[in-house]
Amino acid sequence: MTAEYFYTLDLGAVYGEKLETLAAYSGDNDVEAFAAMLLRGAIDQLHQDMVADLDRAEKEANTPKGGGRGGGTDMDDGIPF
């Protein structure tokens, strides 16, 4: 069984008018379907950005600190101090 997601959104006068204008401009007579398409696109983009940010943060957390030589104080350079 698949989950059903249905949301009712109040865009207010400013964004409601903009949405209707954009739907008409694109030639879409179904404003609700047009709004759903826009929202899906925005959700996809934000999700991609989130995944990229999390991947970047994980890589940074796993990158050794300290000059790029393993992150420790022992530099393995043969100098006894």
Side-chain angles (χ1 to χ4, degrees), residues 53-74:
D53 287 346
L54 291 173
D55 287 347
R56 190 178 314 91
E58 183 178 343
K59 286 178 184 175
E60 288 175 4
N62 293 326
T63 300
K65 306 291 185 253
R69 290 188 173 222
T73 57
D74 183 11

Side-chain angles (χ1 to χ4, degrees), residues 2-10 30 32-33 35-36 39-40 43:
T2 61
E4 293 287 329
Y5 296 97
F6 181 84
Y7 298 97
T8 300
L9 304 172
D10 180 3
D30 188 344
E32 288 180 1
L39 184 56
R40 285 190 304 267
I43 289 169

Side-chain angles (χ1 to χ4, degrees), residues 7-19:
Y7 298 97
T8 300
L9 304 172
D10 180 3
L11 298 178
V14 172
Y15 288 100
E17 187 175 323
K18 286 181 180 184
L19 177 64

Side-chain angles (χ1 to χ4, degrees), residues 40-53:
R40 285 190 304 267
I43 289 169
D44 284 343
Q45 184 61 56
L46 286 170
H47 188 264
Q48 288 174 357
D49 293 348
M50 178 192 71
V51 169
D53 287 346

